[in-house]
Amino acid sequence: MIIGIDLGTTNSAVGMWHDGRAELIPNSLGSVLTPSAVSLDDSGELLVGLAARERQVTHPQLSATAFKRYMGTSRKTRLGNQEFLPEELSALVLRSLKADAEKALGQTITDAVITVPAYFNDKQRHATRRAGQLAGLKVERLLNEPTAAALAYGIHQKGADTRFLVFDLGGGTFDVSVLELFDSVVEVRATTGDNHLGGEDFNELLIARFFAEHKARLKLARKTDDAKLYEKVRDQAERCRRTLSTESTATMSISWNGEFIESPVTEEEFATAAAPLLDRLRTPVLRALRDSKIPVASLAEIVLVGGATRMPIVRKTVTKMFGRFPGAVVNPDEAVALGAAVQAGLKARDSALREVVLTDVCPYTLGVDMGERLSNGTIRDNLFAPIIERNTVIPASRERTFSPLDDRQRKVTFNVFQGESPSCLDNIRLGSVDVPVPPGRASETTITCRFTYDINGLLEVEVCVPQTGERRQLVIWDNEAPLDETALNTRREALANLKIHPRDQEANRAVVARANRCYEESLGDRREELGRRLSHFLATVDGQDPRAIDAAREEFSRALDAIEGETYL
Amino acid sequence: MSPFEETWATLGIAPTSDKQALRRAYAARLKVTNPEDDPEGFKKLREAYEFALSLGSYALVDEQERDDQDSAPCVPLVETAAPPQPPSDATAMALESALMALTHELRHGGEPDARKVQGLLEKILDPANLERLDLLQRADESLAELLASSIPRSDPFLALANERLEWDQRLQDTSLSHFASQVVSRIHALGYSEELKSGSGEEASAWARLSAPPNPALRWTHAFLLNHSSWPELTLIHKLEDEHPELLSELNEDNVRWWLRFEQRPRISAMTVGAWLLLSFCIGIIVYSTGESSPDAGRAYAGFFYSAAGCLFLGLFRIYAVEWPIILSRRYWGFELPQWLTYGWIPVSVSLLVVGLLVRGTWLAWPIAAAAIVTVWWATIAAGPIPPLFRMEANALALKRSRLLRMAVLNILAGVWLFLVAREIGDQLGGPLIVTIVAVLCASGVGRDLQIRALATMLPTHTQKLSCQMMIGAALVLGFLALWYGAYPAWHPLLLVAVLACTVLRRAAPVDLEIPEWVYRFGWLIFVILINLGRGISNTMSGGPSADESGASSLVIIGSLVFLSGVLASAGLFLRDMGRSSEEALEQS
């Protein structure tokens, strides 16, 4: 059995292909969305999901969220007395999703399809793959998120020749894909995106606004001065943004140092503040359309994916861009996971999917740096020599031939870059490989550089000097070498040693964590009432009677809903 | 199997240009060769598919005739682009009607009504409209095609469309349509021709001369007298050929043809002739004044005559025995110039000097010395005989390391020569003076050339500029000293100053020092005249010149200093360069 996992910035989900359709698997709390949050509780036990997200506010030092934004970097997050890489935190989330799937299916799961933002670069893809391995999953495929959403959408459009655009604005990333569907072939025509644009950026606007307005009262120099205050404001910003999706005003309320600060935000204010972010949506869409060479008029549908597309301001922007209303054909939160499940079915050769073929593209240009000798003898270097152009159908191999610059050169270094700028200084360096060259006239020596881009979006570089038969395949990845088996195992062991909170208690933990956060955020009578209810609930849990506990939890949750509105995911 | 046949075999259909059929075949093959299971097979299939799509309509008929038996009937090209959908709303309708009006305005009738066209364009390119991507796409495509196809009628309106649709910013982009890039290149061409017509630089004046009716006298003057290694007319013509071929038609055809013919031929420039005369004159004077016996006008004339004849002989030899054959063989047999030829001139001049030293005292010494001077002069100015004549060769010669190597070799040769001369001076000061001057020329010329060339390639621009300025300053100071304290015949040091000041000023060219053109060309002469005037005045005041032969040794010292600095600079750069790890940079072949 292969499962499909949407590893999101804010929420993750897991699905599978079952009985000819894609299904999502609910977690222990009964929800198909699991917040991508990790927290250690006071006894050092690990919490993942809703409880962890609630603890982000009350225990910011012990919790982590939105770590996907740092995927592929070596930035460490400290939880308690341990440090974690972004991929390790992701591995913990993946492990929890895997456990949910195993519970639901009653069998051990070893293989998974994991989605990544289309615009994730090679390093980020490698990190995601490592995260899967750390969670004990063999990553069968890394699937681009908009492609996954397109699969979820396109699988129901059987037989028809259509073209559509997937607009995927998630928690932290923005992707656009233009696709064409013909004869059961799902062909991605073009994909672009922005790796640092998503719902979190809209939250940041509200956070910055709040701190700017209440700087004096908060007596803070910077917003990062206090992690706990920052997390409180972030939580409020998220709530406020969600409220603004349905209402015209919302209020951010924070109790801090005995003060209770309320800050109302209107829809117009939010829209004005968000204008620069909304402007950034346009360029990738335009580029994807141009690269796909598909006229807007012939697009059958604009498919909106990602939680952030629920925001009316985003919908308005999309409407303005295309001169028509986007469809609401898929559930923006679930489409990617469903698509991953479809891909898992494709991978498992499910009979219902035998005819369907998916072809994807590589979303950015890959190449090497080169120098050029100008007529006055000076060398202009850092020029980008593209080898695989963006939106080439993958898997693909491309080759390009180079010569050394100088007769006495004995070694040529190929620096591998990714990006669209003609100057390598503005592109992302992925790694480098050296090759020795034979003595002789530089102009007579040729070196072929072959890029092979596989279906997962992972790159292999091979450099070859035909004259000597010298070949180099080794690619030195910056910052860190790809983990070998033993190192990977050591790290997997280390993660496995983290005590996991018993699964059957997770629902209780989530409610307690939520109550704790509510308690901290309220004042006066409400606070007292919360305290009373919380101690009552804890006493019931200690009583060990499962039925009584379930009933008490239900009641307590309803009470909390009444106080602050329903839990969001 | 040819790649063509292989393509269709991979796709499993007969050659066709029907895109729908191609797509169906591709989709059918995909079911078997899908990217999951058979990546290599898929790559091949995709390549075949893309190749077949790119083939489009051409190259099909021939191939089919070849295998006439089993070929399917050639399917005519079917355009599968979606038919333009009917405009769905008022804004789109307004855009369509504006586009239609604009098409009418630009395609039919006489001169387009500028104000009306401008108004229509404003309407089409209204930023509020362009917010909508479908309208933007429509405007982008149709305007690019319309404007590109109605050049030059659309010239005044290109800039606005380009500004709003940002075509020029997408030049690198593969998605930019052919029409849009045509428009952008037209805008660039218009801007450039505007610059040429209204500007005042060298290019602008070359443009003015080239586009005027042919004037043989003026043309000849510019070709043979005013320039000697690069010609603004030729530079402009080649630049236009490379970048804006459509502007070439605005030039006078006869002029362009004449200049291109001129470029093909070897020639002696006015500068070279002037240098000969000057040198011959100087040699004559030197011979006259440094004789062991009393001044003898006959010897001076003989010296002048011999050296002038030597120069003439050498120049003719260079052109007809060396360059002309090379040009002809390159033109007709694609002969490539051997590398050693570009190294040859300085060693030749040094060998000439050695011979001159050996035969000193006889009349042969003078023509040989003159020949040596001309060779050195030539080598110094042109850094080899061929490059300035051939643009391509100049490029190929620009290799940094081989230049450094060449310069090091030349320095060593010159150093040996200088050593020989210095020893010679110890016992005899008459005839060798000329040899001394030549040695100084050689050393300073080479040393200076080394430094500037090396610096020009190795250092950042502002450092280059600074070092050039410093070197010019040094040349001026040295020249001043040489003139002021030189030996009695005041003409001797003129050579030194001429070479130092003139060549340094000229060679400073790799960096733009913002020195006016005339200073490059004649600054040294003015300098010499001024110094001599000053010297004359001071001599008159202090009571007559002193005929001091020790001037020769001061020349040697000055030359040695310049030489030494050249050696040090080039050696340092050379070592630094060698020490560096091999080039990381690559060159596209």
Side-chain angles (χ1 to χ4, degrees):
Chain A
M1 192 75 199
I2 308 175
I3 53 171
I5 296 179
D6 167 16
L7 183 61
T9 310
T10 325
N11 291 315
S12 297
V14 55
M16 58 174 177
W17 185 258
H18 181 63
D19 286 345
R21 51 186 290 263
E23 278 174 16
L24 295 189
I25 301 168
N27 60 20
S28 57
L29 308 182
S31 157
V32 291
L33 295 185
T34 304
S36 305
V38 173
S39 180
L40 293 178
D41 78 0
D42 310 315
S43 55
E45 283 183 355
L46 182 72
L47 287 164
V48 176
L50 187 61
R53 196 192 71 199
E54 299 286 11
R55 284 174 62 80
Q56 175 75 22
V57 179
T58 52
H59 301 84
Q61 313 291 1
L62 290 172
S63 317
T65 53
F67 32 80
K68 185 181 173 185
R69 303 203 105 182
Y70 305 106
M71 203 68 154
T73 67
S74 48
R75 177 191 155 114
K76 292 224 162 94
T77 311
R78 175 171 279 281
L79 302 187
N81 52 8
Q82 296 183 61
E83 283 195 332
F84 294 91
L85 286 171
E87 63 209 60
E88 292 172 325
L89 293 168
S90 300
L92 296 173
V93 175
L94 288 175
R95 203 168 67 180
S96 155
L97 295 171
K98 179 182 166 216
D100 289 335
E102 283 173 347
K103 181 89 191 294
L105 297 171
Q107 56 173 295
T108 320
I109 307 273
T110 51
D111 302 310
V113 171
I114 300 181
T115 63
V116 287
Y119 223 55
F120 250 22
N121 64 36
D122 206 77
K123 284 185 207 174
Q124 293 167 309
R125 284 170 195 267
H126 273 283
T128 307
R129 169 168 272 205
R130 281 199 297 276
Q133 288 166 331
L134 289 171
L137 286 168
K138 182 162 167 267
V139 182
E140 285 283 342
R141 252 314 274 283
L142 292 174
L143 184 63
N144 291 335
E145 280 166 15
T147 312
L151 262 183
Y153 165 79
I155 217 75
H156 303 297
Q157 315 284 316
K158 262 177 206 147
D161 278 18
T162 57
R163 295 154 162 194
F164 54 99
L165 182 140
V166 179
F167 184 100
D168 176 2
L169 185 63
T173 54
F174 174 49
D175 288 323
V176 184
S177 283
V178 180
L179 294 100
E180 184 166 17
L181 200 75
F182 60 95
D183 294 355
S184 302
V185 175
V186 182
E187 183 175 288
V188 181
R189 294 286 291 257
T191 290
T192 51
D194 186 332
N195 258 348
H196 295 281
L197 179 59
E200 299 285 343
D201 295 291
F202 289 87
N203 289 349
E204 284 293 332
L205 289 178
L206 292 171
I207 297 169
R209 185 179 172 278
F210 182 85
F211 278 104
E213 236 172 61
H214 302 287
K215 208 155 125 192
R217 284 179 76 185
L218 293 166
K219 301 181 191 70
L220 285 174
R222 288 188 311 276
K223 64 178 181 184
T224 45
D225 276 1
D226 194 298
K228 198 155 174 176
L229 173 63
Y230 179 74
E231 289 304 335
K232 276 187 176 194
V233 178
R234 189 166 91 152
D235 180 66
Q236 281 297 313
E238 175 81 33
R239 281 166 194 281
C240 174
R241 185 166 68 83
R242 280 165 190 273
T243 314
L244 283 175
S245 296
T246 49
E247 280 155 49
S248 60
T249 56
T251 308
M252 291 170 71
S253 43
I254 304 284
S255 65
W256 179 248
N257 282 346
E259 279 202 74
F260 193 69
I261 304 169
E262 285 210 325
S263 165
V265 187
T266 67
E267 214 178 331
E268 290 78 44
E269 283 172 340
F270 184 48
T272 319
L277 287 182
L278 296 173
D279 279 348
R280 278 170 61 194
L281 295 173
R282 189 179 157 84
T283 321
V285 174
L286 195 56
R287 203 162 79 180
L289 282 170
R290 279 176 178 157
D291 285 355
S292 70
K293 300 195 167 62
I294 286 181
V296 178
S298 76
L299 290 175
E301 188 72 69
I302 314 296
V303 182
L304 294 188
V305 184
T309 59
R310 288 187 194 277
M311 281 190 278
I313 48 171
V314 172
R315 285 182 176 256
K316 219 175 272 171
T317 309
V318 175
T319 310
K320 227 196 249 166
M321 256 193 248
F322 293 96
R324 58 173 138 160
F325 290 98
V329 280
V330 297
N331 180 333
D333 294 318
E334 295 172 2
V336 173
L338 285 172
V342 175
Q343 177 62 40
L346 279 174
K347 199 77 205 169
R349 309 270 175 291
D350 192 276
S351 56
L353 294 171
R354 186 147 299 153
E355 286 290 287
V356 180
V357 182
L358 167 73
T359 64
D360 210 336
V361 295
C362 88
Y364 26 67
T365 304
L366 295 158
V368 294
D369 66 337
M370 66 167 183
E372 193 177 64
R373 203 179 284 281
L374 302 179
S375 49
N376 65 5
T378 52
I379 292 174
R380 194 165 56 152
D381 53 5
N382 282 319
L383 298 172
F384 185 53
I387 295 183
I388 296 188
E389 298 274 1
R390 69 164 185 261
N391 294 320
T392 301
V393 175
I394 56 170
S397 295
R398 294 282 187 279
E399 209 174 72
R400 197 165 159 174
T401 310
F402 299 90
S403 290
L405 266 179
D406 199 289
D407 287 350
R408 270 168 313 179
Q409 202 169 326
R410 287 294 156 268
K411 185 183 87 174
V412 174
T413 306
F414 285 84
N415 289 301
V416 181
F417 283 88
Q418 167 202 309
E420 308 305 326
S421 164
S423 157
C424 282
L425 301 175
D426 303 327
N427 293 334
I428 300 171
R429 183 168 179 267
L430 297 175
S432 69
V433 56
D434 287 345
V435 65
V437 289
R441 288 282 280 266
S443 53
E444 287 161 12
T445 311
T446 56
I447 309 162
T448 58
C449 181
R450 188 176 189 81
F451 274 32
T452 305
Y453 201 75
D454 79 3
I455 197 160
N456 294 314
L458 301 176
L459 178 70
E460 197 176 283
V461 179
E462 187 185 70
V463 182
C464 169
V465 186
Q467 254 173 307
T468 56
E470 198 83 50
R471 249 164 225 286
R472 287 289 182 279
Q473 224 161 357
L474 182 78
V475 177
I476 305 145
W477 299 107
D478 287 357
N479 299 335
E480 53 188 314
L483 285 182
D484 55 43
E485 268 310 300
T486 46
L488 200 65
N489 280 334
T490 331
R491 275 168 67 189
R492 183 158 47 214
E493 296 285 304
L495 289 185
N497 282 339
L498 283 173
K499 262 184 293 171
I500 304 174
H501 202 80
R503 191 186 144 79
D504 50 1
Q505 288 173 28
E506 255 175 39
N508 300 342
R509 282 308 305 237
V511 175
V512 173
R514 183 181 176 198
N516 277 332
R517 179 179 52 70
C518 271
Y519 182 83
E520 286 196 9
E521 281 171 1
S522 349
L523 285 175
D525 293 348
R526 180 178 278 182
R527 191 169 195 166
E528 269 173 36
E529 189 200 333
L530 270 172
R532 213 169 44 242
R533 280 180 181 275
L534 181 59
S535 46
H536 172 72
F537 177 66
L538 288 175
T540 319
V541 172
D542 283 342
Q544 309 258 339
D545 174 0
R547 201 176 300 162
I549 293 172
D550 284 352
R553 191 177 63 231
E554 282 292 306
E555 191 205 333
F556 194 24
S557 296
R558 270 200 303 278
L560 287 169
D561 286 352
I563 288 170
E564 57 153 15
E566 281 186 32
T567 315
Y568 65 85
L569 280 172
Chain B
M1 229 195 291
S2 75
F4 182 84
E5 286 162 4
E6 210 177 311
T7 299
W8 302 106
T10 313
L11 286 168
I13 50 167
T16 172
S17 54
D18 175 358
K19 285 185 185 160
Q20 285 298 345
L22 264 178
R23 218 157 71 141
R24 273 195 303 274
Y26 168 69
R29 299 294 303 163
L30 260 187
K31 307 283 153 49
V32 191
T33 324
N34 74 55
E36 293 284 345
D37 311 322
D38 184 6
E40 289 310 313
F42 171 75
K43 279 180 207 169
K44 239 177 98 184
L45 173 63
R46 181 75 201 181
E47 253 164 51
Y49 177 53
E50 280 173 11
F51 179 62
L53 280 178
S54 72
L55 273 181
S57 53
Y58 46 84
L60 285 171
V61 183
D62 287 357
E63 291 287 338
Q64 289 199 339
E65 277 168 2
R66 205 184 298 156
D67 48 22
D68 41 353
Q69 301 303 317
D70 55 345
S71 66
C74 182
V75 187
L77 175 69
V78 179
E79 256 315 315
T80 56
Q85 302 210 335
S88 48
D89 56 294
T91 336
M93 298 256 263
L95 178 76
E96 291 300 326
S97 70
L99 274 172
M100 250 151 75
L102 186 67
T103 313
H104 182 82
E105 198 60 37
L106 284 176
R107 290 245 169 95
H108 312 283
E111 199 57 24
D113 176 356
R115 195 178 298 164
K116 196 172 166 198
V117 172
Q118 199 73 25
L120 284 169
L121 267 181
E122 281 291 351
K123 205 162 151 194
I124 296 168
L125 296 171
D126 182 5
N129 265 356
L130 298 185
E131 288 264 293
R132 264 177 63 178
L133 296 176
D134 51 339
L135 302 186
L136 171 67
Q137 225 169 21
R138 178 86 183 108
D140 191 301
E141 272 167 25
S142 36
L143 271 188
E145 190 181 345
L146 179 60
L147 292 177
S149 60
S150 51
I151 288 173
R153 288 163 60 88
S154 58
D155 281 352
F157 317 111
L158 300 179
L160 177 71
N162 178 49
E163 185 200 321
R164 295 279 169 84
L165 296 169
E166 297 173 342
W167 284 327
D168 53 347
Q169 289 167 32
R170 288 167 52 210
L171 272 184
Q172 301 280 335
D173 224 323
T174 45
S175 64
L176 188 71
S177 75
H178 167 66
F179 295 117
S181 50
Q182 228 175 316
V183 170
V184 175
S185 83
R186 178 69 185 172
I187 291 172
H188 287 167
L190 286 175
Y192 186 55
S193 89
E194 193 56 37
E195 203 178 290
L196 287 176
K197 281 168 193 157
S198 62
S200 58
E202 203 170 55
E203 277 188 347
S205 53
W207 171 272
R209 285 195 299 274
L210 280 170
S211 49
N215 177 348
L218 187 72
R219 218 158 51 182
W220 195 89
T221 320
H222 276 275
F224 289 101
L225 292 183
L226 296 180
N227 300 293
H228 70 285
S229 63
S230 72
W231 291 265
E233 279 87 350
L234 286 173
T235 320
L236 181 70
I237 291 174
H238 291 305
K239 191 169 172 190
L240 291 179
E241 276 174 349
D242 290 347
E243 291 167 21
H244 308 286
E246 70 268 35
L247 288 182
L248 274 177
S249 60
E250 292 184 33
L251 298 176
N252 183 295
E253 216 175 299
D254 186 50
N255 277 336
V256 175
R257 257 204 315 269
W258 188 89
W259 275 104
L260 289 177
R261 235 180 15 246
F262 169 77
E263 190 185 23
Q264 298 282 308
R265 267 185 253 136
R267 62 199 81 89
I268 297 177
S269 72
M271 186 80 159
T272 319
V273 174
W276 291 346
L277 291 179
L278 185 70
L279 285 170
S280 310
F281 181 62
C282 295
I283 292 162
I285 297 285
I286 291 160
V287 170
Y288 166 76
S289 56
T290 57
E292 279 130 26
S293 56
S294 55
D296 173 357
R299 276 186 64 191
Y301 291 135
F304 179 75
F305 172 74
Y306 283 134
S307 41
C311 289
L312 185 67
F313 166 74
L314 207 82
L316 293 176
F317 177 81
R318 175 171 71 79
I319 286 180
Y320 291 105
V322 180
E323 290 182 2
W324 196 224
I326 291 174
I327 292 170
L328 287 180
S329 55
R330 173 198 294 272
R331 196 180 298 163
Y332 296 112
W333 302 297
F335 168 78
E336 276 307 310
L337 191 71
Q339 201 100 65
W340 55 264
L341 232 144
T342 57
Y343 300 131
W345 290 85
I346 295 234
V348 163
S349 92
V350 175
S351 341
L352 279 174
L353 287 171
V354 174
V355 174
L357 203 64
L358 290 177
V359 298
R360 116 184 140 264
T362 70
W363 64 273
L364 256 177
W366 305 116
I368 287 176
I373 291 177
V374 173
T375 330
V376 170
W377 179 267
W378 177 257
T380 311
I381 287 180
I386 304 299
L389 281 181
F390 299 99
R391 293 189 305 139
M392 288 315 293
E393 195 60 28
N395 289 356
L397 258 181
L399 280 177
K400 184 170 66 189
R401 287 228 179 85
S402 75
R403 184 164 62 235
L404 279 171
L405 183 72
R406 178 176 57 173
M407 290 191 296
V409 170
L410 295 186
N411 259 344
I412 290 163
L413 283 174
V416 170
W417 173 243
L418 202 64
F419 173 72
L420 286 175
V421 169
R423 259 184 53 180
E424 199 61 39
I425 283 164
D427 56 84
Q428 190 180 8
L429 271 176
L433 184 59
I434 186 170
V435 175
T436 313
I437 292 169
V438 170
V440 171
L441 277 180
C442 180
S444 66
V446 171
R448 188 221 72 259
D449 197 46
L450 277 177
Q451 292 161 67
I452 294 179
R453 283 286 193 112
L455 288 171
T457 51
M458 312 290 292
L459 300 176
T461 322
H462 65 273
T463 324
Q464 284 176 36
K465 217 169 182 169
L466 190 71
S467 52
C468 278
Q469 282 162 346
M470 279 165 57
M471 250 176 291
I472 289 170
L476 293 179
V477 171
L478 288 178
F480 176 83
L481 290 175
L483 273 173
W484 204 265
Y485 298 106
Y488 163 62
W491 294 105
H492 298 182
L494 189 130
L495 282 174
L496 174 66
V497 178
V499 170
L500 282 178
C502 149
T503 56
V504 165
L505 284 173
R506 254 185 46 72
R507 273 300 175 185
V511 199
D512 185 14
L513 287 173
E514 288 132 29
I515 293 173
E517 179 70 19
W518 64 268
V519 179
Y520 275 103
R521 300 234 169 107
F522 310 112
W524 58 275
L525 193 65
I526 292 167
F527 178 72
V528 167
I529 292 167
L530 282 180
I531 291 290
N532 270 309
L533 276 178
R535 224 177 92 92
I537 293 164
S538 92
N539 278 349
T540 328
M541 282 176 14
S542 62
S546 62
D548 185 359
E549 288 285 4
S550 71
S553 34
S554 69
L555 288 184
V556 173
I557 291 166
I558 293 163
S560 314
L561 285 176
V562 180
F563 160 74
L564 193 68
S565 62
V567 171
L568 288 178
S570 66
L573 291 170
F574 191 68
L575 287 176
R576 194 188 77 176
D577 202 40
M578 291 296 280
R580 254 205 225 157
S581 69
S582 343
E583 287 290 328
E584 320 82 54
L586 309 162
E587 186 178 63
Q588 187 194 339
S589 91

